[in-house]
Amino acid sequence: MSAFSWLNSQLLKMEWLYDLIKRLVEDVFGLSMTTRFGNSLHFFIYDTIKIFLLLSFLIFGISYIQSFFPPERTRKIIGRFKGVTANLLAALLGTITPFCACSSIPLFIGFTSAGLPIGVTFSFLISSPLVDLASVLLLASIFNWRIAIAYVVVGVILAVISGTIISKAKLEKYVESYVFNNPLIDLDQDELTTGQRLRFAKLQVDDIIKKVWIYILVGVGIGAMIHNYIPESIITAVLGQDKWYSVLVATFVGIPMYADIFGTLPIAEALVTKGVGIGTVMSFMMAVTALSLPSMIMLSKVVKPKLLGVFAGVVSVGILIIGFAFNGFSHLFI
């Protein structure tokens, strides 16, 4: 076994943890892994611990890096560029901000009031909850590296194209007027010591875990139920790879939900094992993270209905295209 394979199996997929929880279920709880309840319990405990461990370590590292890029510095960096380049940079910077859509909206307000084009700020707003560095490793731990990298690439492309379309549409007048008079308040982080950056990273871990723990538990619980209790025939009848409408169903089912990618991953894992296409699963995850109803309601407080409709429409079409494309070329990723 190569060093990379060992690191992938032991650090990302945590096979040692899988075996440990298996012994716990069988030897301590006296349950067989061949029963639905025993397998569901193993799925729930293993996935919950794995996601929390990975998430804590990843958010800590990402937040330490993020301490070098406070909002004002980020705005200044993006402000040096124009056009698609600015959209791309905003989307890439969004990948190092591990926020949900609702948390990203205050930064959207600050960036817009500071003079950045709304299309550029929308690229950031889409990318931030949809794609982050933590999601790459978590996706790789559950699926594989090809799927993880592909998800990030198409997520960034979606953010760039959506932001560019909004920029070209000249929709600035559909942003609420108070947004332009709400300057970005930022603390100078140039002089932070290493100790302060480490404390900042720890506080970010605490803050994000407090926000997402319930969604992770719910997501793992739903994943365990799908994995062991819902017959494969029922799921494939609705979302099977041979159903052309599966991407549409997954996208519109995801929109009313509110979670982040960490809460949707266990559900996605269970759906894939039941024969659901990878493109259908990607559409579901993207709809939940980028177009969830609560975040759309919050966004409606800062933009007018026409701009909100354009945003939702452009992103929805992009998600559908991504879903159909990945279903069509799924053999390249699995």
Side-chain angles (χ1 to χ4, degrees), residues 80-147:
R80 297 172 187 166
F81 300 88
K82 303 295 182 183
V84 176
T85 304
N87 289 97
L88 176 59
L89 189 58
L92 292 175
L93 287 172
T95 65
I96 62 171
T97 55
F99 303 135
C100 66
C102 297
S103 301
S104 303
I105 288 172
L107 289 177
F108 168 80
I109 294 173
F111 288 172
T112 302
S113 65
L116 289 180
I118 62 166
V120 174
T121 56
F122 265 109
S123 287
F124 177 89
L125 185 68
I126 295 167
S127 173
S128 183
L130 190 66
V131 182
D132 59 58
L133 297 179
S135 68
V136 181
L137 295 182
L138 282 170
L139 279 163
S141 74
I142 290 177
F143 299 115
N144 59 50
W145 279 102
R146 291 190 297 275
I147 291 175

Side-chain angles (χ1 to χ4, degrees), residues 7-260:
L7 289 172
N8 188 64
S9 63
Q10 298 301 320
L11 295 184
L12 287 182
K13 295 185 179 297
M14 295 191 185
E15 291 182 359
W16 60 269
L17 179 63
Y18 182 96
D19 294 335
L20 182 64
I21 302 303
K22 181 179 179 182
R23 292 177 60 185
L24 175 69
V25 171
E26 293 183 336
D27 299 342
V28 178
F29 297 151
L31 299 171
S32 172
M33 288 282 290
T34 59
T35 64
R36 287 182 176 179
F37 182 72
N39 206 307
S40 294
L41 185 62
H42 180 276
F43 184 103
F44 184 84
I45 297 174
Y46 166 66
D47 267 43
T48 299
I49 295 175
K50 181 179 73 171
I51 290 174
F52 275 115
L53 282 176
L54 285 173
L55 187 60
S56 297
F57 282 109
L58 294 170
I59 295 302
F60 186 89
I62 293 167
S63 297
Y64 185 82
I65 296 171
Q66 187 191 349
S67 69
F68 292 91
F69 297 93
E72 178 59 22
R73 178 177 294 174
T74 301
R75 184 198 65 79
K76 289 179 179 178
I77 292 173
I78 299 174
R80 297 172 187 166
F81 300 88
K82 303 295 182 183
V84 176
T85 304
N87 289 97
L88 176 59
L89 189 58
L92 292 175
L93 287 172
T95 65
I96 62 171
T97 55
F99 303 135
C100 66
C102 297
S103 301
S104 303
I105 288 172
L107 289 177
F108 168 80
I109 294 173
F111 288 172
T112 302
S113 65
L116 289 180
I118 62 166
V120 174
T121 56
F122 265 109
S123 287
F124 177 89
L125 185 68
I126 295 167
S127 173
S128 183
L130 190 66
V131 182
D132 59 58
L133 297 179
S135 68
V136 181
L137 295 182
L138 282 170
L139 279 163
S141 74
I142 290 177
F143 299 115
N144 59 50
W145 279 102
R146 291 190 297 275
I147 291 175
I149 293 171
Y151 178 87
V152 172
V153 170
V154 297
V156 170
I157 291 173
L158 175 62
V160 172
I161 292 177
S162 298
T164 301
I165 291 173
I166 291 171
S167 289
K168 298 295 184 182
K170 306 293 182 182
L171 299 172
E172 286 79 2
K173 63 181 178 180
Y174 296 106
V175 177
E176 295 291 351
S177 59
Y178 78 87
V179 171
F180 297 103
N181 300 311
N182 191 1
L184 182 66
I185 298 175
D186 185 42
L187 298 176
D188 185 4
Q189 291 185 285
D190 286 335
E191 304 303 324
L192 289 181
T193 65
T194 299
Q196 289 172 324
R197 296 188 193 280
L198 291 173
R199 283 193 292 275
F200 169 77
K202 181 181 180 300
L203 288 173
Q204 285 291 91
V205 172
D206 293 341
D207 182 56
I208 292 172
I209 291 294
K210 287 176 182 177
K211 289 179 179 178
V212 306
W213 70 268
I214 186 64
Y215 303 115
I216 292 174
L217 291 182
V218 171
V220 175
I222 294 173
M225 292 293 292
I226 293 172
H227 188 69
N228 294 288
Y229 284 94
I230 300 179
E232 183 174 330
S233 58
I234 293 177
I235 294 176
T236 55
V238 179
L239 297 175
Q241 294 193 52
D242 60 330
K243 303 298 187 294
W244 69 267
Y245 52 79
S246 64
V247 173
L248 288 168
V249 173
T251 301
F252 289 107
V253 165
I255 290 175
M257 298 177 66
Y258 178 59
D260 53 29

Side-chain angles (χ1 to χ4, degrees), residues 269-284:
E269 177 185 12
L271 290 173
V272 168
T273 62
K274 291 290 186 177
V276 177
I278 188 62
T280 303
V281 170
M282 276 193 173
S283 293
F284 171 74

